[in-house]
Amino acid sequence: MTLGFVIGESKPTVVTGQTSRSLPIGEYVIINSKEGKIVGLVEKSVVSSAALGDVKNYDETLESIEVAALNKRDKSHTAMIRILGFLESLQKGKAILPAIPPTPGTEIVKATKDDLGQIFGPENEEWIKIGGLLRNPEIDSLINLNKIVSRHLGILAMTGMGKSNLVTLLAKQIAELDGTVIIFDYHNDYSGLDFPKMNVIDAKINPRLLEADTLSDVLEIREGADIQQRVLRLAFTPEVKESANFWEALDSQVQYIGANPDRKEDRHSADRVQDKIDDARHRSSEILDPDMSNPVALIKEGRLNILNVSEFTDRQANVALAYYLQELLADRKAAVNAKGGKTKSKRSYRFNTPIFVIIEEAHVFIPKNEDAKAKYWAAKIAREGRKFGLGLCIVSQRPRDIEANVLSQMGSLAVMKIVQEDDQRQIASAAESISREFIGQLTSLNIGDAVLVGQWVNLPAIVHIDEMKGKKIGSDQDAVGEWAVAKKFEEVGAKSMKDLTRKDF
Ligand SMILES: Nc1ncnc2c1ncn2[C@@H]1O[C@H](COP(=O)(O)OP(=O)(O)OP(=O)(O)O)[C@@H](O)[C@H]1O
Ligand SMILES: [Mg+2]
């Protein structure tokens, strides 16, 4: 179906189209150039009216509207169309741009399912469906799973725009393929999901396995409290680590150090450390468990593992994430090296196949300009994970607060609605393939719409992600509804109380 024609000045990368209707931004079209069919993406769309272009007052506007309605030539629909490459080469997974620009007068036609199906939905088991093209909805949008496990993924959007929905969709499909997924669930959003192959775990920390400075984080010893940190470091001896009754052994060792007559000034700090140990034992007893085996043993291969860290303080969550990331990387390294016969070391490993780790609220764990243990390990996995089959997915509503070095290592991105310019700028600098016009689109996306760029797609795509049915994840609270129900209960309660009173007396 003819949509219009190329007009004005053309370039090999961009043309202007004059069309019979306004083309929506994000629509894919075909330019029937002499050299072959070219795929184009509408990046800008303008409609203007000759009669209404230069009106001076209200009455003239009314008249001009009538004139415009009668004149078929009044409206002009102009579109800026970015050239993505020859259709034939794109269907084979390669983008080849024309050497010479399409001549003005070249026909622009609607892209069909036959044209685009192979590009956005290759028939290959690596590719899974996550939605449809936003402006060509009859065409499915698929993504290459292998690319995100080996080259990582960023899911970025304002709150409530569909990040967790996409996470659930991906995680479920990976688990269905017998892959291992771990979601680091900061707000306990995912444990209510109802899928087969789910393994919900309350994340725990075994304090015996930590380093002294990490233990001090877990006990919430203040960062500047140097003497307290020193006391803890001295008290955290190998004997304490191995003693049957860990907390008591640690507590008495701290007391012993505080009683050193040569360092009377330590006494007060040792008391404070004892308080902290006492606090941690009572307040965090659910999550600090010196009697558990390795926390990583709770994770199951071939499952969707949900690690609930919602009971942790931020510092504890940071320690836990750092611990899991470090262990997972070491495990995968051992597995890959053993398979390749590269190592003589006999470090045993748990996971035989690649793992995909998803970090929600990534800006908390991988913050810009701040040192954090989890950040160190996330950055290391972002750089090295590829070799060992450990993929990272960072999910955030504040891309501007994420360490740029880590964000730029994400080989693929799904970006949903984002209004803040700081965030847009950060995304633009992280992803070269995301053009300025695309970024401009981010403000106008609706819930569930996303721009997909990077290695998991053959072409940048504006899509609508399928909504996951089933239990709602992290949905907004229905305050008004809950108040109404509570009031009803109160009324019913009061009434039955009256009935009761009347009957009984
Ligand atoms: N693809 C979609 N299609 C239709 N509705 C969607 C889609 N994705 C999400 N929604 C709706 O939007 C709501 C919020 O989605 P979701 O929890 O995924 O957002 P989020 O970006 O993770 O938010 P937060 O930043 O608060 O975690 C969902 O409860 C769902 O109703
Ligand atoms: Mg969410």
Side-chain angles (χ1 to χ4, degrees), residues 10 30 44 102 129 154 181 248 260 296 347 350 359 405 484:
S10 293
I30 301 289
K44 204 166 152 187
K129 177 174 181 282
V181 188
E248 267 147 41
N260 181 351
V296 177
R347 186 194 195 281
R350 286 172 200 283
I359 305 176
N405 280 336

Side-chain angles (χ1 to χ4, degrees), residues 176-204:
E176 277 167 6
L177 293 168
D178 295 317
T180 311
V181 188
I182 303 168
I183 302 182
F184 213 72
D185 189 6
Y186 189 72
H187 290 306
N188 197 11
D189 280 341
Y190 295 92
S191 56
L193 290 176
D194 187 16
F195 297 140
K197 293 205 179 176
M198 252 180 62
N199 177 34
V200 180
I201 314 159
D202 286 327
K204 288 189 182 185

